[in-house]
């Protein structure tokens, strides 16, 4: 081999060694870290949740922008809705009983689907049903204890109140009450729960420590919903067929008086339905069904201050935490009204699902 060839061979060998060393260095370098996945956007600070009875869905509204941000399936006939105290879950009453208004002969209706009855526990961030809690037949409305461990459920078809242990999902007590129970509300101290009985025209007061009936309070015709003053001194009960509100001493469980709600001209008479109480106890708000108005009551005088039109057959109502805005569920028009309580005007109507019924608010 010539000297020139030997030189070329040597150079090639050196180049190969250098290339191998470079490859080893590159191999030893750590791979660049992958870009972190984008964190999911946090939920809006305040959200409004609406149950839609006919479409079986949940509509979620951003209360700041007044826009619908989600719609999720729930089950059959979702009506009453309550948020857990920590705002992480929603509890929704689902029913397999056919929809029937007052005076309908139940013998003409299809049989109820009891497999559809239950309380749907919904994740407040994903809007998915986590589980169905079997809490008696045909649940309509419910209340949640302050610690989030118990549910109080009105079972319309069986005339009872079911008490449910949330962690286990088991019914731990059942209290027999009047016909067609609907509204369920805990007194602010949590010691007593009130349940309206449409068929009996009464409110049943139940001791939450013993789960026993304390007394029955005769209030009027077709009581629907209940709202307590923050100090627990009085309860206000909507009386649909009387066009009135019953004022109840919530400590002695005695009827104090009725507040008559007056219509205007030849319009239908007010049919009180949903009730909400301002956080400071200054005002009681009452929706009036086919009358279409929201009434404002002054607890100091126990008189109606004013009323104004909010929508078609408003039923469910909830206030935002600041107490300045209300949302009403308007069944026939498939929307909710956003109500400025200071100016007493509807600032917006938001389309939701079919036959909106209940409204709940989560702020966190």
């Amino acid at each position: 081999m010539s000297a020139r060839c030997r030189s070329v061979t040597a150079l090639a060998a050196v180049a190969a060694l250098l290339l191998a060393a470079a490859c080893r260095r590159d191999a030893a370098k750590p791979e660049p870290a992958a870009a972190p996945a984008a964190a999911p956007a946090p939920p809006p600070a305040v959200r409004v949740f609406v149950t839609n009875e006919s479409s079986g869905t949940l509509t979620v509204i951003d209360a700041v922008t007044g826009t619908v941000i989600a719609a999720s399936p729930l089950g059959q006939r979702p009506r009453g809705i309550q948020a857990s105290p920590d705002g992480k879950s929603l509890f929704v009453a689902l029913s397999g009983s056919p929809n029937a208004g007052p005076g309908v002969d139940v013998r003409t209706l299809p049989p109820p689907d009891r497999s559809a009855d239950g309380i749907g526990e919904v994740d407040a961030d994903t809007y998915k049903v986590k589980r169905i809690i079997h809490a008696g037949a045909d649940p309509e409305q419910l209340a949640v204890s302050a610690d989030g461990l118990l549910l109080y459920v009105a079972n319309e078809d069986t005339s009872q109140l079911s008490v449910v242990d949330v962690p286990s999902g088991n019914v731990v007590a059942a209290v027999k009450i009047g016909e067609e129970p609907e509204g369920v509300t805990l007194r602010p101290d949590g010691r007593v729960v009130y349940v309206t009985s449409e068929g009996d025209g009464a409110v049943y007061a139940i001791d939450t420590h013993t789960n026993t009936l304390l007394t029955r309070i005769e209030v009027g015709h077709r009581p629907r919903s209940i709202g307590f003053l923050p100090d627990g001194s009085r309860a206000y009960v909507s009386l649909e067929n009387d066009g009135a509100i019953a004022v109840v001493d919530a400590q002695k469980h005695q009827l104090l008086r009725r507040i008559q709600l007056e219509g205007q001209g030849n319009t239908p008479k007010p049919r009180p339905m949903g009730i909400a109480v301002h956080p400071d106890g200054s005002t009681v708000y009452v929706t009036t069904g086919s009358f279409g108005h929201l009434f404002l009551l002054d607890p100091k005088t126990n008189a109606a201050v004013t009323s104004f039109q909010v929508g078609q057959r408003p039923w469910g109502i909830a206030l935002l935490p600041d107490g300045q805005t209300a949302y009403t569920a308007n069944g026939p028009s498939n929307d909710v009204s956003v109500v400025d309580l200071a100016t007493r005007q509807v600032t917006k109507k938001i389309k939701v699902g079919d036959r909106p019924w209940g409204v709940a608010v989560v702020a966190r």
Side-chain angles (χ1 to χ4, degrees), residues 70-124:
S72 297
L74 288 174
Q76 289 190 40
R77 294 190 68 200
R79 291 179 287 176
I81 179 171
Q82 295 291 331
S84 62
D86 61 10
K88 294 181 179 179
S89 296
L90 299 155
F91 297 99
V92 180
L94 306 171
S95 173
S97 293
N99 194 347
V104 172
D105 186 350
V106 295
R107 294 172 297 181
T108 66
L109 299 174
D113 176 7
R114 289 293 173 232
S115 66
D117 289 345
I119 302 297
E121 183 178 2
V122 180
D123 187 299

Short mmCIF file of all heavy atoms in Angstrom, two decimals, residues 70-124:
data_model
loop_
_atom_site.label_atom_id
_atom_site.label_comp_id
_atom_site.label_asym_id
_atom_site.label_seq_id
_atom_site.Cartn_x
_atom_site.Cartn_y
_atom_site.Cartn_z
N ALA A 70 -73.01 24.78 28.64
CA ALA A 70 -73.11 23.32 28.54
C ALA A 70 -74.56 22.90 28.64
O ALA A 70 -75.41 23.61 29.20
CB ALA A 70 -72.30 22.63 29.64
N ALA A 71 -74.84 21.73 28.08
CA ALA A 71 -76.13 21.06 28.23
C ALA A 71 -75.85 19.58 28.31
O ALA A 71 -75.16 19.02 27.45
CB ALA A 71 -77.05 21.37 27.06
N SER A 72 -76.34 18.93 29.36
CA SER A 72 -76.02 17.53 29.61
C SER A 72 -77.29 16.73 29.89
O SER A 72 -78.23 17.24 30.50
CB SER A 72 -75.07 17.39 30.80
OG SER A 72 -73.84 18.01 30.54
N PRO A 73 -77.30 15.45 29.50
CA PRO A 73 -78.45 14.59 29.81
C PRO A 73 -78.49 14.24 31.29
O PRO A 73 -77.45 14.06 31.92
CB PRO A 73 -78.20 13.36 28.94
CG PRO A 73 -76.72 13.31 28.74
CD PRO A 73 -76.27 14.74 28.70
N LEU A 74 -79.69 14.14 31.83
CA LEU A 74 -79.87 13.80 33.23
C LEU A 74 -80.66 12.51 33.42
O LEU A 74 -80.25 11.61 34.15
CB LEU A 74 -80.60 14.93 33.96
CG LEU A 74 -79.82 16.22 34.21
CD1 LEU A 74 -80.75 17.28 34.81
CD2 LEU A 74 -78.65 15.97 35.13
N GLY A 75 -81.82 12.42 32.80
CA GLY A 75 -82.73 11.31 33.02
C GLY A 75 -84.14 11.80 32.84
O GLY A 75 -84.38 12.89 32.32
N GLN A 76 -85.11 11.01 33.30
CA GLN A 76 -86.51 11.37 33.09
C GLN A 76 -86.98 12.43 34.08
O GLN A 76 -86.71 12.36 35.28
CB GLN A 76 -87.40 10.13 33.22
CG GLN A 76 -87.26 9.14 32.07
CD GLN A 76 -88.33 8.07 32.13
OE1 GLN A 76 -89.49 8.34 32.43
NE2 GLN A 76 -87.95 6.83 31.82
N ARG A 77 -87.68 13.42 33.57
CA ARG A 77 -88.38 14.45 34.34
C ARG A 77 -87.54 15.06 35.47
O ARG A 77 -87.94 15.03 36.64
CB ARG A 77 -89.68 13.91 34.91
CG ARG A 77 -90.71 13.55 33.86
CD ARG A 77 -92.05 13.25 34.52
NE ARG A 77 -92.61 14.48 35.10
CZ ARG A 77 -93.55 14.50 36.05
NH1 ARG A 77 -94.03 13.39 36.53
NH2 ARG A 77 -94.00 15.65 36.52
N PRO A 78 -86.41 15.65 35.16
CA PRO A 78 -85.66 16.33 36.23
C PRO A 78 -86.40 17.57 36.69
O PRO A 78 -86.84 18.39 35.88
CB PRO A 78 -84.33 16.69 35.55
CG PRO A 78 -84.67 16.77 34.09
CD PRO A 78 -85.75 15.75 33.86
N ARG A 79 -86.57 17.68 38.00
CA ARG A 79 -87.32 18.82 38.55
C ARG A 79 -86.50 19.50 39.65
O ARG A 79 -85.67 20.35 39.37
CB ARG A 79 -88.70 18.36 39.04
CG ARG A 79 -89.61 17.95 37.89
CD ARG A 79 -90.97 17.46 38.38
NE ARG A 79 -90.89 16.14 39.00
CZ ARG A 79 -91.91 15.52 39.58
NH1 ARG A 79 -93.09 16.10 39.62
NH2 ARG A 79 -91.76 14.31 40.11
N GLY A 80 -86.70 19.13 40.90
CA GLY A 80 -85.98 19.79 41.98
C GLY A 80 -84.48 19.63 41.85
O GLY A 80 -83.98 18.56 41.49
N ILE A 81 -83.73 20.70 42.15
CA ILE A 81 -82.27 20.67 42.07
C ILE A 81 -81.69 21.46 43.24
O ILE A 81 -82.19 22.54 43.57
CB ILE A 81 -81.77 21.22 40.72
CG1 ILE A 81 -80.23 21.21 40.65
CG2 ILE A 81 -82.32 22.61 40.45
CD1 ILE A 81 -79.69 21.54 39.28
N GLN A 82 -80.65 20.90 43.86
CA GLN A 82 -79.95 21.57 44.95
C GLN A 82 -78.46 21.31 44.79
O GLN A 82 -78.04 20.22 44.38
CB GLN A 82 -80.41 21.05 46.31
CG GLN A 82 -81.87 21.34 46.65
CD GLN A 82 -82.13 22.81 46.91
OE1 GLN A 82 -81.24 23.54 47.35
NE2 GLN A 82 -83.35 23.26 46.62
N ALA A 83 -77.65 22.30 45.16
CA ALA A 83 -76.20 22.14 45.14
C ALA A 83 -75.71 21.67 46.50
O ALA A 83 -76.30 21.99 47.54
CB ALA A 83 -75.54 23.47 44.78
N SER A 84 -74.63 20.88 46.50
CA SER A 84 -74.01 20.49 47.75
C SER A 84 -73.37 21.72 48.39
O SER A 84 -73.03 22.68 47.70
CB SER A 84 -72.96 19.40 47.51
OG SER A 84 -71.92 19.90 46.68
N PRO A 85 -73.17 21.72 49.71
CA PRO A 85 -72.60 22.90 50.36
C PRO A 85 -71.22 23.29 49.83
O PRO A 85 -70.89 24.48 49.80
CB PRO A 85 -72.52 22.48 51.84
CG PRO A 85 -73.60 21.45 51.99
CD PRO A 85 -73.61 20.71 50.69
N ASP A 86 -70.42 22.32 49.38
CA ASP A 86 -69.09 22.65 48.85
C ASP A 86 -69.11 23.02 47.38
O ASP A 86 -68.08 23.36 46.79
CB ASP A 86 -68.11 21.50 49.09
CG ASP A 86 -68.53 20.19 48.40
OD1 ASP A 86 -69.49 20.21 47.59
OD2 ASP A 86 -67.91 19.15 48.68
N GLY A 87 -70.28 22.96 46.75
CA GLY A 87 -70.41 23.34 45.36
C GLY A 87 -69.83 22.35 44.37
O GLY A 87 -69.75 22.65 43.17
N LYS A 88 -69.46 21.17 44.82
CA LYS A 88 -68.84 20.19 43.92
C LYS A 88 -69.86 19.27 43.25
O LYS A 88 -69.56 18.64 42.24
CB LYS A 88 -67.82 19.35 44.68
CG LYS A 88 -66.62 20.15 45.17
CD LYS A 88 -65.62 19.26 45.89
CE LYS A 88 -64.41 20.06 46.35
NZ LYS A 88 -63.42 19.22 47.08
N SER A 89 -71.04 19.18 43.82
CA SER A 89 -72.06 18.29 43.28
C SER A 89 -73.41 18.98 43.22
O SER A 89 -73.66 19.95 43.95
CB SER A 89 -72.20 17.02 44.14
OG SER A 89 -71.03 16.25 44.13
N LEU A 90 -74.26 18.45 42.36
CA LEU A 90 -75.65 18.86 42.29
C LEU A 90 -76.50 17.62 42.49
O LEU A 90 -76.14 16.53 42.03
CB LEU A 90 -75.97 19.48 40.93
CG LEU A 90 -75.17 20.75 40.60
CD1 LEU A 90 -75.08 20.93 39.10
CD2 LEU A 90 -75.81 21.96 41.23
N PHE A 91 -77.62 17.78 43.18
CA PHE A 91 -78.54 16.69 43.40
C PHE A 91 -79.85 17.04 42.69
O PHE A 91 -80.44 18.09 42.94
CB PHE A 91 -78.77 16.45 44.88
CG PHE A 91 -77.52 16.03 45.61
CD1 PHE A 91 -76.77 16.95 46.33
CD2 PHE A 91 -77.08 14.71 45.55
CE1 PHE A 91 -75.62 16.57 46.99
CE2 PHE A 91 -75.91 14.33 46.21
CZ PHE A 91 -75.18 15.25 46.93
N VAL A 92 -80.27 16.14 41.80
CA VAL A 92 -81.44 16.42 40.94
C VAL A 92 -82.47 15.32 41.12
O VAL A 92 -82.15 14.13 41.03
CB VAL A 92 -81.03 16.50 39.46
CG1 VAL A 92 -82.25 16.79 38.59
CG2 VAL A 92 -79.96 17.57 39.25
N ALA A 93 -83.73 15.71 41.37
CA ALA A 93 -84.82 14.75 41.50
C ALA A 93 -85.27 14.30 40.11
O ALA A 93 -85.64 15.12 39.27
CB ALA A 93 -85.99 15.37 42.26
N LEU A 94 -85.23 12.98 39.88
CA LEU A 94 -85.65 12.37 38.61
C LEU A 94 -86.86 11.50 38.87
O LEU A 94 -86.95 10.84 39.92
CB LEU A 94 -84.52 11.54 38.01
CG LEU A 94 -83.17 12.25 37.83
CD1 LEU A 94 -82.09 11.26 37.45
CD2 LEU A 94 -83.30 13.34 36.77
N SER A 95 -87.78 11.44 37.91
CA SER A 95 -89.01 10.69 38.15
C SER A 95 -89.48 9.96 36.90
O SER A 95 -89.46 10.52 35.79
CB SER A 95 -90.12 11.64 38.61
OG SER A 95 -91.36 10.95 38.69
N GLY A 96 -89.90 8.72 37.11
CA GLY A 96 -90.48 7.93 36.03
C GLY A 96 -91.99 8.00 35.99
O GLY A 96 -92.63 7.33 35.16
N SER A 97 -92.59 8.81 36.86
CA SER A 97 -94.04 8.97 36.84
C SER A 97 -94.44 9.88 35.68
O SER A 97 -93.75 10.87 35.41
CB SER A 97 -94.54 9.58 38.16
OG SER A 97 -94.35 8.68 39.23
N PRO A 98 -95.53 9.58 34.99
CA PRO A 98 -95.95 10.43 33.87
C PRO A 98 -96.34 11.82 34.36
O PRO A 98 -96.84 11.97 35.48
CB PRO A 98 -97.13 9.68 33.27
CG PRO A 98 -97.64 8.82 34.38
CD PRO A 98 -96.45 8.44 35.19
N ASN A 99 -96.13 12.79 33.52
CA ASN A 99 -96.47 14.16 33.86
C ASN A 99 -97.98 14.32 33.86
O ASN A 99 -98.65 14.01 32.89
CB ASN A 99 -95.84 15.11 32.83
CG ASN A 99 -95.85 16.56 33.31
OD1 ASN A 99 -96.52 16.89 34.27
ND2 ASN A 99 -95.10 17.40 32.62
N ALA A 100 -98.52 14.80 34.98
CA ALA A 100 -99.97 14.97 35.10
C ALA A 100 -100.26 16.21 35.92
O ALA A 100 -99.77 16.35 37.03
CB ALA A 100 -100.59 13.75 35.77
N GLY A 101 -101.07 17.08 35.38
CA GLY A 101 -101.45 18.29 36.09
C GLY A 101 -102.57 18.04 37.07
O GLY A 101 -103.10 16.91 37.16
N PRO A 102 -102.98 19.07 37.80
CA PRO A 102 -104.07 18.93 38.76
C PRO A 102 -105.36 18.46 38.09
O PRO A 102 -105.71 18.92 37.00
CB PRO A 102 -104.24 20.35 39.32
CG PRO A 102 -102.93 21.03 39.04
CD PRO A 102 -102.42 20.43 37.77
N GLY A 103 -106.04 17.53 38.74
CA GLY A 103 -107.32 17.06 38.24
C GLY A 103 -107.26 15.98 37.18
O GLY A 103 -108.30 15.47 36.74
N VAL A 104 -106.05 15.60 36.75
CA VAL A 104 -105.93 14.56 35.73
C VAL A 104 -106.22 13.19 36.35
O VAL A 104 -105.74 12.88 37.44
CB VAL A 104 -104.51 14.56 35.10
CG1 VAL A 104 -104.33 13.36 34.19
CG2 VAL A 104 -104.29 15.85 34.34
N ASP A 105 -107.03 12.39 35.67
CA ASP A 105 -107.34 11.04 36.14
C ASP A 105 -106.12 10.15 35.87
O ASP A 105 -105.80 9.86 34.72
CB ASP A 105 -108.57 10.51 35.40
CG ASP A 105 -109.04 9.17 35.95
OD1 ASP A 105 -108.31 8.56 36.76
OD2 ASP A 105 -110.13 8.72 35.54
N VAL A 106 -105.46 9.74 36.94
CA VAL A 106 -104.23 8.95 36.78
C VAL A 106 -104.50 7.61 36.10
O VAL A 106 -103.58 6.99 35.55
CB VAL A 106 -103.55 8.73 38.15
CG1 VAL A 106 -103.08 10.04 38.74
CG2 VAL A 106 -104.48 8.00 39.12
N ARG A 107 -105.75 7.17 36.10
CA ARG A 107 -106.06 5.88 35.46
C ARG A 107 -105.92 5.95 33.95
O ARG A 107 -105.83 4.93 33.28
CB ARG A 107 -107.48 5.45 35.84
CG ARG A 107 -107.65 5.13 37.34
CD ARG A 107 -109.11 4.90 37.70
NE ARG A 107 -109.91 6.12 37.47
CZ ARG A 107 -111.22 6.20 37.72
NH1 ARG A 107 -111.86 5.14 38.21
NH2 ARG A 107 -111.87 7.33 37.50
N THR A 108 -105.93 7.17 33.42
CA THR A 108 -105.79 7.34 31.97
C THR A 108 -104.33 7.44 31.54
O THR A 108 -104.05 7.52 30.33
CB THR A 108 -106.53 8.60 31.51
OG1 THR A 108 -105.89 9.76 32.06
CG2 THR A 108 -107.98 8.57 31.96
N LEU A 109 -103.42 7.44 32.49
CA LEU A 109 -102.00 7.64 32.18
C LEU A 109 -101.26 6.31 32.11
O LEU A 109 -101.69 5.31 32.69
CB LEU A 109 -101.36 8.52 33.26
CG LEU A 109 -101.95 9.92 33.43
CD1 LEU A 109 -101.31 10.61 34.63
CD2 LEU A 109 -101.73 10.74 32.16
N PRO A 110 -100.14 6.27 31.42
CA PRO A 110 -99.33 5.05 31.40
C PRO A 110 -98.76 4.78 32.79
O PRO A 110 -98.63 5.70 33.61
CB PRO A 110 -98.22 5.37 30.40
CG PRO A 110 -98.15 6.86 30.37
CD PRO A 110 -99.55 7.34 30.59
N PRO A 111 -98.41 3.53 33.09
CA PRO A 111 -97.87 3.21 34.42
C PRO A 111 -96.52 3.88 34.61
O PRO A 111 -95.78 4.12 33.65
CB PRO A 111 -97.74 1.69 34.40
CG PRO A 111 -97.64 1.34 32.95
CD PRO A 111 -98.49 2.34 32.23
N PRO A 112 -96.17 4.20 35.86
CA PRO A 112 -94.87 4.83 36.11
C PRO A 112 -93.72 3.86 35.86
O PRO A 112 -93.86 2.65 36.03
CB PRO A 112 -94.95 5.22 37.58
CG PRO A 112 -95.97 4.31 38.18
CD PRO A 112 -96.96 4.04 37.09
N ASP A 113 -92.59 4.39 35.45
CA ASP A 113 -91.37 3.62 35.27
C ASP A 113 -90.50 3.84 36.52
O ASP A 113 -89.73 4.80 36.59
CB ASP A 113 -90.64 4.08 34.01
CG ASP A 113 -89.31 3.39 33.81
OD1 ASP A 113 -89.00 2.45 34.58
OD2 ASP A 113 -88.55 3.80 32.90
N ARG A 114 -90.64 2.96 37.48
CA ARG A 114 -89.95 3.14 38.75
C ARG A 114 -88.42 3.01 38.62
O ARG A 114 -87.68 3.50 39.47
CB ARG A 114 -90.46 2.14 39.79
CG ARG A 114 -91.88 2.46 40.26
CD ARG A 114 -91.90 3.75 41.03
NE ARG A 114 -93.25 4.20 41.37
CZ ARG A 114 -93.74 5.39 41.11
NH1 ARG A 114 -93.02 6.26 40.46
NH2 ARG A 114 -94.95 5.74 41.47
N SER A 115 -87.95 2.40 37.55
CA SER A 115 -86.50 2.31 37.36
C SER A 115 -85.89 3.68 37.06
O SER A 115 -84.67 3.87 37.17
CB SER A 115 -86.18 1.34 36.21
OG SER A 115 -86.64 1.85 34.97
N ALA A 116 -86.73 4.63 36.66
CA ALA A 116 -86.24 5.97 36.34
C ALA A 116 -86.24 6.89 37.55
O ALA A 116 -85.71 8.01 37.48
CB ALA A 116 -87.07 6.59 35.23
N ASP A 117 -86.85 6.46 38.68
CA ASP A 117 -86.90 7.28 39.88
C ASP A 117 -85.53 7.34 40.55
O ASP A 117 -84.81 6.34 40.60
CB ASP A 117 -87.89 6.71 40.89
CG ASP A 117 -89.33 6.86 40.46
OD1 ASP A 117 -89.60 7.63 39.52
OD2 ASP A 117 -90.20 6.19 41.06
N GLY A 118 -85.19 8.49 41.08
CA GLY A 118 -83.95 8.59 41.85
C GLY A 118 -83.47 10.02 41.97
O GLY A 118 -84.06 10.95 41.43
N ILE A 119 -82.39 10.17 42.70
CA ILE A 119 -81.71 11.45 42.81
C ILE A 119 -80.40 11.32 42.05
O ILE A 119 -79.53 10.51 42.40
CB ILE A 119 -81.42 11.83 44.28
CG1 ILE A 119 -82.73 11.88 45.08
CG2 ILE A 119 -80.69 13.17 44.34
CD1 ILE A 119 -83.72 12.91 44.61
N GLY A 120 -80.27 12.08 40.98
CA GLY A 120 -79.03 12.07 40.22
C GLY A 120 -78.01 12.96 40.88
O GLY A 120 -78.27 14.14 41.11
N GLU A 121 -76.84 12.38 41.20
CA GLU A 121 -75.74 13.19 41.72
C GLU A 121 -74.85 13.58 40.54
O GLU A 121 -74.29 12.73 39.86
CB GLU A 121 -74.93 12.44 42.77
CG GLU A 121 -73.83 13.29 43.37
CD GLU A 121 -73.02 12.59 44.45
OE1 GLU A 121 -73.27 11.40 44.73
OE2 GLU A 121 -72.11 13.24 45.01
N VAL A 122 -74.73 14.86 40.30
CA VAL A 122 -74.06 15.38 39.12
C VAL A 122 -72.78 16.09 39.52
O VAL A 122 -72.78 16.90 40.47
CB VAL A 122 -74.98 16.36 38.36
CG1 VAL A 122 -74.29 16.91 37.12
CG2 VAL A 122 -76.31 15.68 38.00
N ASP A 123 -71.68 15.80 38.82
CA ASP A 123 -70.42 16.51 39.04
C ASP A 123 -70.60 17.95 38.55
O ASP A 123 -70.92 18.18 37.38
CB ASP A 123 -69.29 15.82 38.28
CG ASP A 123 -67.93 16.42 38.61
OD1 ASP A 123 -67.73 17.62 38.35
OD2 ASP A 123 -67.04 15.69 39.08
N ALA A 124 -70.38 18.92 39.43
CA ALA A 124 -70.65 20.31 39.09
C ALA A 124 -69.63 20.90 38.12
O ALA A 124 -69.85 22.00 37.60
CB ALA A 124 -70.68 21.16 40.36
#
